[in-house]
Amino acid sequence: MSQPTNFTPGPSQLYFTVEDHMRTAFREGIPSLSHRTKKFEGIYKDAVDGLRELLNLPAGYSIYFTGSANEIWERIIQNLVAEQSFHLVNGSFSKRFYEIAQLLNKKPIKAEVDFGKGFDDTAIVPAGTELIGITHNETSSGVCLPLEYIYALREKNPDALLAVDAVSSLPFPDFDYTKLDTVFFSVQKGFGLPAGLGVWMVNEKCIAKADQLLSKGISIGSFHGIPSLHSHAIKNQTPETPNVLFIYLLGKVVQDFIRRGIQNIRRETEYKSTLLYQALEKHSGVKAFVQDKKFQSKTVIVAQCGDQTEKITASLKEKGLHPGDGYGAFKKSQLRFANFPTHSKEQYELLVDTLERL
Amino acid sequence: MSQPTNFTPGPSQLYFTVEDHMRTAFREGIPSLSHRTKKFEGIYKDAVDGLRELLNLPAGYSIYFTGSANEIWERIIQNLVAEQSFHLVNGSFSKRFYEIAQLLNKKPIKAEVDFGKGFDDTAIVPAGTELIGITHNETSSGVCLPLEYIYALREKNPDALLAVDAVSSLPFPDFDYTKLDTVFFSVQKGFGLPAGLGVWMVNEKCIAKADQLLSKGISIGSFHGIPSLHSHAIKNQTPETPNVLFIYLLGKVVQDFIRRGIQNIRRETEYKSTLLYQALEKHSGVKAFVQDKKFQSKTVIVAQCGDQTEKITASLKEKGLHPGDGYGAFKKSQLRFANFPTHSKEQYELLVDTLERL
């Protein structure tokens, strides 16, 4: 049997070109390359320029690298909030963003709906809110918020910064970045890379806000504060010794995505998600956990399997198809299926075919 | 000609087994392994247990992973200092540790000597100091502080925590960890791994201090605060999705070091450094930058080359020997040579032989 397919939503299946890129990296001495060299600056620039092209990022956006998306939650709160942030909470990760603001001694406020739900009416953002934190795609529950919902929040609250967690959706969503202020992801999900690198994109309003906090004497962190990240980024550099190897791999995979065509990737993602949701709809025992179609994630699809969970997992694994467990309390009653660029149409067809026979 | 030898002090030459371990990692699916699995917990435990054995770490010490040593500077100040830290500054990295405390709005105090110097008399630690920050081995200047000097600081200031930056010295120094409170390094130096992982070791006094700060309502950061790191570490887990692959590689290289024998590694490090310092002593044009023998680092050896720097660099590179540039203002007048476990006696003999002929 060929290698199993990993449908866990992160770390997920590697993008199929990564092992080759790793071999090339060793041949070229990338793993021991000093970051204070022209060669590293070229690697940095390739990754950043590639992301700009792939995501159609407007001028004025800067891209920084961190150790994880967890770190970006922290840096966003430190750098962009003096006192009050507002969080739309509808699952474990959006809740964690809110909790991190508490741990940093800010005064976050939340609007919360049940796990597995989205938001219908535009949330009422409290006065004094400096930043709205929103999770585009809840990896825990498979709820994805419509882009129009997110844009409406920005339009109604032009004075607050809008921070979008796109950890498990990018590169799929075709964001209009002019309607957002900061967006972030980690590379072990849609980009199919090993875990250990967060990617943080900020616009000029974010840079100005961090400067403003600093001028008020508020600590915005140290080496990974925006001013420090930014003064290095404009020279294709990093404040600390970075994960040179993973930045190199990211640049390579982004080039692979560009060659494949972002529109093709998006179309295939749509196709594969439609296949799986249709199969869940027709299935007698298994259902989509998110029933409201407008909130159904196309990149993390959650199946409500109840007491069949263990049996279904075993049957899928027999075919080399490894689903992700349900999150937290749903570990034994749900399964999660990542639908990332690395997951081929053929793998999804086999997955659906196998599910239909159960 | 065989592959060149990289003497830059970090990222440095990879340990010679790393490429093989990377191949095995891909074969075993490590790069896409979920961190919420028993298999990951085994990988975590292997790395931590291996480090304990290799470094002879006493019970009561915990080991956490971060994105970089820069991050550990920040976490130490956040978690272990309410107001005042004291820093021995004798180069660029010890100075950075002090500056990070400033950026985090603490009130650090420093005792500073010139670049390239060590400390002769035990520093007078100001009253109210909660933590003493000391850089065992200044990667920028090649100054290494004697262990007795460090222990004396602790003995004279039993109420302050002692934080030791061992970024470019471990695993060489045979620290008595009972006389230190927290020690840290990053893996791209003595451990010969790609950059992107910091290793933070703390004793029980550090854990208690972080709890104490938290109980006073002082923010100690979020996901990488000690309580969060610790509650996960005791389950062989991490708060965030970690760099699974590099933790795996670290565990493997640590096993390689254990098999080789830490005493052998230390003896060979002594031998190689003696070779190079002797050559510098005899040389007509090149001298050791650090003249006081008791401060001469055995792991980062800095040569004062003056206007010969460019010529010497070119001659060494012809033989496949890549020295590190001097740091900062000394870029054009000094060369730095890492002497890590990955650098063989033969490579050092060739280096010395080549230098002697110049």
Side-chain angles (χ1 to χ4, degrees):
Chain A
M1 198 175 76
S2 58
Q3 286 276 51
T5 306
N6 192 356
F7 289 100
T8 55
S12 191
Q13 184 82 4
L14 285 189
Y15 196 61
F16 62 91
T17 58
V18 170
E19 191 166 355
D20 271 351
H21 293 315
M22 186 67 94
R23 263 193 290 269
T24 309
F26 272 84
R27 219 159 38 228
E28 295 188 358
I30 309 298
S32 66
L33 178 68
S34 165
H35 56 299
R36 300 301 184 212
T37 56
K38 287 282 163 222
K39 187 167 178 184
F40 169 73
E41 288 166 12
I43 288 169
Y44 185 104
K45 191 172 185 307
D46 283 350
V48 165
D49 288 354
L51 281 168
R52 284 186 195 287
E53 182 182 346
L54 181 75
L55 303 178
N56 196 20
L57 209 62
Y61 258 88
S62 300
I63 302 178
Y64 313 134
F65 298 107
T66 70
S68 64
N70 266 258
E71 187 186 342
I72 300 172
W73 280 331
E74 182 176 274
R75 302 307 176 192
I76 284 177
I77 300 297
Q78 279 177 327
N79 281 270
L80 304 179
V81 181
E83 287 210 351
Q84 182 186 307
S85 54
F86 176 71
H87 299 262
L88 285 104
V89 174
N90 64 330
S92 306
F93 293 97
S94 44
K95 191 174 178 203
R96 188 74 189 134
F97 196 179
Y98 164 78
E99 289 168 346
I100 279 184
Q102 290 182 307
L103 288 167
L104 296 172
N105 281 359
K106 309 293 179 179
K107 298 186 185 75
I109 297 169
K110 62 178 168 173
E112 191 163 8
V113 296
D114 285 346
F115 189 92
K117 302 291 177 200
F119 295 86
D120 280 306
D121 305 315
T122 303
I124 308 297
V125 176
T129 292
E130 297 158 77
L131 177 133
I132 302 167
I134 191 163
T135 303
H136 173 237
N137 196 68
E138 249 300 347
T139 318
S140 60
S141 67
V143 169
C144 186
L145 299 179
L147 299 188
E148 299 66 35
Y149 182 83
I150 299 177
Y151 301 153
L153 263 178
R154 176 53 140 45
E155 205 170 319
K156 289 199 180 167
N157 304 280
D159 296 334
L161 295 171
L162 187 58
V164 179
D165 176 340
V167 161
S168 59
S169 56
L170 278 174
F172 171 69
D174 188 9
F175 288 130
D176 179 349
Y177 289 87
T178 65
K179 295 177 175 167
L180 315 172
D181 296 300
T182 176
V183 182
F184 60 97
F185 64 94
S186 45
V187 301
Q188 75 275 15
K189 298 183 191 273
F191 288 79
L193 288 159
L197 194 69
V199 180
W200 186 17
M201 303 183 282
V202 304
N203 71 7
E204 290 148 325
K205 284 168 73 179
C206 295
I207 296 170
K209 176 82 187 203
D211 285 339
Q212 186 199 326
L213 262 55
L214 197 57
S215 71
K216 285 182 183 171
I218 296 169
S219 174
I220 56 173
S222 60
F223 73 114
H224 272 179
I226 286 182
S228 167
L229 285 164
H230 195 72
S231 65
H232 286 88
I234 55 180
K235 298 178 290 187
N236 296 307
Q237 271 293 350
T238 58
E240 83 290 18
T241 309
N243 193 328
V244 175
L245 180 58
F246 286 11
I247 294 173
Y248 168 90
L249 294 175
L250 175 62
K252 294 295 172 192
V253 165
V254 165
Q255 281 308 319
D256 295 333
F257 284 4
I258 290 172
R259 266 191 297 272
R260 188 169 153 191
I262 186 69
Q263 295 314 331
N264 291 329
I265 289 174
R266 287 178 179 144
R267 255 194 310 271
E268 287 174 24
T269 305
E270 297 267 7
Y271 169 77
K272 291 178 290 168
S273 76
T274 304
L275 269 191
L276 183 50
Y277 278 117
Q278 279 176 351
L280 294 177
E281 215 162 297
K282 284 189 218 145
H283 205 282
S284 58
V286 182
K287 287 274 155 273
F289 173 56
V290 178
Q291 282 291 315
D292 191 336
K293 283 196 187 337
K294 71 173 176 294
F295 295 129
Q296 286 181 339
S297 169
K298 294 188 163 56
T299 54
V300 178
I301 297 156
V302 179
Q304 182 70 35
C305 306
D307 55 14
Q308 299 293 298
T309 308
E310 207 174 321
K311 197 190 115 219
I312 294 170
T313 303
S315 304
L316 290 174
K317 281 190 170 174
E318 254 176 48
K319 296 268 186 187
L321 305 164
H322 288 217
D325 287 333
Y327 194 84
F330 300 91
K331 194 178 165 78
K332 303 228 176 275
S333 60
Q334 299 185 350
L335 292 175
R336 293 182 295 162
F337 297 93
N339 177 19
F340 294 150
T342 195
H343 296 108
S344 69
K345 286 192 277 192
E346 291 70 22
Q347 287 166 335
Y348 253 74
E349 283 159 0
L350 177 63
L351 170 66
V352 163
D353 196 48
T354 309
L355 273 177
E356 281 173 349
R357 288 159 199 265
L358 293 177
Chain B
M1 197 176 72
S2 59
Q3 287 275 46
T5 306
N6 193 355
F7 289 98
T8 56
S12 192
Q13 183 83 4
L14 286 189
Y15 196 60
F16 61 91
T17 59
V18 170
E19 192 166 355
D20 271 350
H21 292 315
M22 186 68 94
R23 263 193 292 267
T24 309
F26 271 83
R27 218 158 42 225
E28 295 188 1
I30 310 297
S32 66
L33 178 68
S34 165
H35 56 299
R36 301 299 185 214
T37 56
K38 287 283 164 222
K39 187 167 176 182
F40 169 72
E41 289 165 12
I43 288 169
Y44 186 104
K45 191 171 184 307
D46 283 349
V48 165
D49 288 353
L51 281 169
R52 282 186 198 288
E53 181 182 345
L54 181 74
L55 303 178
N56 196 21
L57 210 62
Y61 258 88
S62 300
I63 301 178
Y64 313 134
F65 297 109
T66 71
S68 63
N70 265 259
E71 187 187 344
I72 301 172
W73 281 331
E74 183 176 273
R75 303 306 177 193
I76 284 177
I77 299 297
Q78 279 176 327
N79 281 269
L80 305 179
V81 180
E83 288 211 349
Q84 182 186 308
S85 54
F86 175 71
H87 300 261
L88 284 103
V89 174
N90 64 331
S92 306
F93 294 96
S94 45
K95 190 174 178 200
R96 188 74 188 136
F97 195 0
Y98 165 79
E99 289 168 347
I100 280 183
Q102 289 181 308
L103 288 166
L104 296 171
N105 282 359
K106 309 292 178 178
K107 298 186 186 75
I109 298 169
K110 63 178 169 173
E112 191 164 6
V113 296
D114 285 347
F115 189 90
K117 302 291 177 200
F119 294 87
D120 280 306
D121 304 315
T122 304
I124 308 296
V125 176
T129 293
E130 296 159 77
L131 177 134
I132 302 168
I134 191 163
T135 302
H136 174 237
N137 196 67
E138 249 300 348
T139 318
S140 62
S141 68
V143 169
C144 186
L145 299 179
L147 299 188
E148 298 66 36
Y149 182 83
I150 300 176
Y151 301 153
L153 263 177
R154 176 52 140 46
E155 206 169 320
K156 290 197 178 168
N157 304 278
D159 296 334
L161 295 170
L162 187 57
V164 178
D165 175 341
V167 162
S168 58
S169 56
L170 277 174
F172 171 68
D174 187 8
F175 287 131
D176 179 349
Y177 289 88
T178 65
K179 296 178 175 166
L180 315 172
D181 296 299
T182 176
V183 182
F184 60 97
F185 64 93
S186 45
V187 301
Q188 75 275 15
K189 299 185 191 270
F191 289 78
L193 288 159
L197 193 69
V199 179
W200 186 17
M201 304 182 281
V202 304
N203 70 8
E204 290 149 324
K205 284 168 74 178
C206 295
I207 296 170
K209 175 84 187 201
D211 285 338
Q212 185 199 326
L213 261 54
L214 197 58
S215 72
K216 286 184 182 169
I218 297 169
S219 173
I220 57 172
S222 61
F223 72 115
H224 271 179
I226 286 180
S228 167
L229 285 164
H230 195 72
S231 65
H232 287 87
I234 56 180
K235 298 178 289 186
N236 296 308
Q237 272 292 352
T238 58
E240 84 288 20
T241 309
N243 192 327
V244 176
L245 180 57
F246 285 11
I247 295 172
Y248 169 89
L249 294 176
L250 174 62
K252 293 296 173 192
V253 164
V254 164
Q255 281 308 320
D256 296 333
F257 284 5
I258 290 171
R259 265 192 295 274
R260 188 167 152 190
I262 186 70
Q263 294 315 331
N264 291 329
I265 289 174
R266 287 178 178 145
R267 254 195 310 270
E268 287 174 24
T269 305
E270 297 266 7
Y271 169 78
K272 291 180 290 168
S273 76
T274 303
L275 268 191
L276 182 50
Y277 277 117
Q278 280 177 349
L280 294 177
E281 214 163 296
K282 284 189 217 146
H283 205 281
S284 59
V286 182
K287 289 273 153 272
F289 173 54
V290 179
Q291 282 291 313
D292 191 336
K293 282 195 191 335
K294 71 173 175 294
F295 295 129
Q296 284 180 341
S297 168
K298 294 188 164 51
T299 55
V300 178
I301 297 158
V302 179
Q304 182 71 34
C305 307
D307 55 13
Q308 300 291 300
T309 308
E310 207 174 320
K311 197 189 115 220
I312 294 169
T313 304
S315 303
L316 290 174
K317 282 191 170 172
E318 253 176 51
K319 296 270 186 182
L321 305 165
H322 288 216
D325 287 335
Y327 195 85
F330 299 91
K331 195 178 164 78
K332 300 225 177 282
S333 60
Q334 298 185 350
L335 292 175
R336 291 182 297 161
F337 298 92
N339 176 19
F340 293 151
T342 194
H343 297 107
S344 68
K345 287 191 278 191
E346 292 69 24
Q347 287 166 335
Y348 253 75
E349 283 158 0
L350 177 63
L351 169 66
V352 163
D353 196 49
T354 310
L355 273 177
E356 281 174 347
R357 286 161 199 265
L358 294 176

